[in-house]
Amino acid sequence: MNSPKPIDRRRFLSGAVQAASLLALAGCDSLSQSDWFPSLMGNTEKLTKKAQRALSSKRAMAREYTEADRSVVFPANGNSNPENPDYQAMVTKGFADWRLEIGGLVEKPASFSLAELRQMSSRTQTTRHDCVEGWSAIATWTGVKLGDLLEHVQPKPEARFIVFYCADPDEDGQKYYESVDFDEAYHPQTILAYGMNGQALPVAHGAPIRLRVERQLGYKQAKYVMKIEAVESLDAIGDGKGGYWEDQGYEWYAGI
Ligand SMILES: Nc1nc2c(c(=O)[nH]1)N[C@H]1C(S)=C(S)[C@@H](COP(=O)(O)O)O[C@H]1N2
Ligand SMILES: [Mo]
């Protein structure tokens, strides 16, 4: 029996992923309102997560580009200026009083000012952001590796996920949040970015920091991150699906 060559499997996989993305072209909002989408996505998710994890090692890197490849226009999407008064007060003060809290199932809960994060060793990467609404854009991101921060706070053995809580509530007051597993959290390209294209991260793109988890789709790239928590289960957070869009039917493992 001939087993399929890796390249064939990869082509098959990318076909499956593209089919899923095409279905998603209509955009986050309209899709979340259709009944069939979540269940269909559920099956696709099983396929892609299994297939992708089988094909790519835990350490597989997302493609990196050069600064010359940067998009001239990088759209700001979703929330681009949270109305939350606490957030607006922080903007006014240039985030001088902002602190990133890291807690939950960790040995040493800690908080970091923006200045402290900027003093830590940093990583800069030029990558492509893919939104399920059907657009992509390339930018250079600079930030601190999430893995370095986790080494400071030391997740407890029972912790399985890292959750990111954002500043922006929607019309119903529901907050944007996201989550990743530990493979993704300690991946070398997983950073909390405070810089974009060599400048301070603009409000429209998630100031003061936003997650860059480069092997995953746009909605995983949480902007306006205020608090991080290590947890054992995602069940009790939001509707229990691991993220704001996941709670509305999108796949949690949003690999590209
Ligand atoms: N806090 C927060 N993070 C968010 C969103 C949002 O509305 N609020 N939108 C998500 C979506 S769908 C995308 S495509 C990207 C957009 O990032 P950008 O504004 O830098 O393009 O942020 C993601 N992270
Ligand atoms: Mo998106």
Side-chain angles (χ1 to χ4, degrees), residues 74-79 129 135 166 168 176 205 210 218 221 223:
F74 194 113
N77 202 40
N79 209 322
H129 175 108
W135 58 270
C166 307
D168 49 334
Y176 204 97
H205 295 287
R210 67 104 45 92
Q221 323 295 327
K223 307 196 279 188

Side-chain angles (χ1 to χ4, degrees), residues 11-252:
R11 282 213 187 104
F12 162 74
L13 171 67
S14 85
V17 172
Q18 272 161 23
S21 326
L22 276 176
L23 284 171
L25 273 177
C28 299
D29 293 318
S30 47
L31 279 171
S32 63
Q33 281 150 21
S34 81
D35 294 330
W36 52 269
F37 185 72
S39 57
L40 181 58
M41 246 2 217
N43 292 334
T44 315
E45 174 182 9
K46 277 176 214 139
L47 171 68
T48 58
K49 181 174 177 183
K50 254 197 190 158
Q52 283 178 272
R53 284 272 158 100
L55 284 169
S56 62
S57 82
K58 287 179 186 177
R59 308 299 277 182
M61 301 288 276
R63 177 168 173 193
E64 293 195 18
Y65 296 77
T66 69
E67 291 184 9
D69 299 318
R70 281 180 194 163
S71 302
V72 178
V73 176
F74 194 113
N77 202 40
N79 209 322
S80 59
N81 190 4
E83 282 168 21
N84 176 348
D86 294 341
Y87 178 79
Q88 289 300 327
M90 288 189 271
V91 173
T92 310
K93 290 187 186 166
F95 300 103
D97 300 337
W98 173 89
R99 292 188 80 82
L100 174 67
E101 282 178 54
I102 312 185
L105 295 175
V106 297
E107 301 291 351
K108 299 179 175 171
S111 76
F112 300 88
S113 69
L114 191 52
E116 285 166 348
L117 293 179
R118 286 177 174 276
Q119 275 157 20
M120 295 176 68
S121 63
S122 69
R123 179 180 165 93
T124 294
Q125 57 205 25
T126 302
T127 53
R128 196 188 66 206
H129 175 108
D130 297 310
C131 174
V132 292
E133 287 178 5
W135 58 270
S136 298
I138 294 173
T140 305
W141 306 98
T142 300
V144 52
K145 281 196 222 169
L146 179 59
D148 289 350
L149 289 177
L150 293 178
E151 265 167 38
H152 271 88
V153 299
Q154 298 177 15
K156 294 182 177 175
E158 61 267 34
R160 290 184 52 218
F161 304 99
I162 301 295
V163 185
F164 306 86
Y165 297 95
C166 307
D168 49 334
D170 66 12
E171 317 82 64
D172 307 324
Q174 194 194 341
K175 285 210 172 165
Y176 204 97
Y177 75 101
E178 259 303 338
S179 61
V180 296
D181 63 16
F182 274 66
D183 288 348
E184 217 60 52
Y186 283 105
H187 187 271
Q189 289 170 313
T190 298
I191 64 173
L192 291 167
Y194 47 72
M196 181 184 187
N197 295 337
Q199 312 280 316
L201 182 69
V203 165
H205 295 287
I209 57 161
R210 67 104 45 92
L211 177 65
R212 292 301 313 172
V213 49
E214 302 293 357
R215 303 184 298 179
Q216 304 230 7
L217 290 171
Y219 59 87
K220 298 293 284 191
Q221 323 295 327
K223 307 196 279 188
Y224 318 110
V225 176
M226 300 287 127
K227 194 173 87 173
I228 294 178
E229 242 177 25
V231 299
E232 189 174 359
S233 156
L234 299 169
D235 291 351
I237 305 161
D239 292 342
K241 300 284 182 355
Y244 176 86
W245 283 111
E246 288 87 334
D247 283 342
Q248 297 170 63
Y250 278 75
E251 54 190 317
W252 176 79

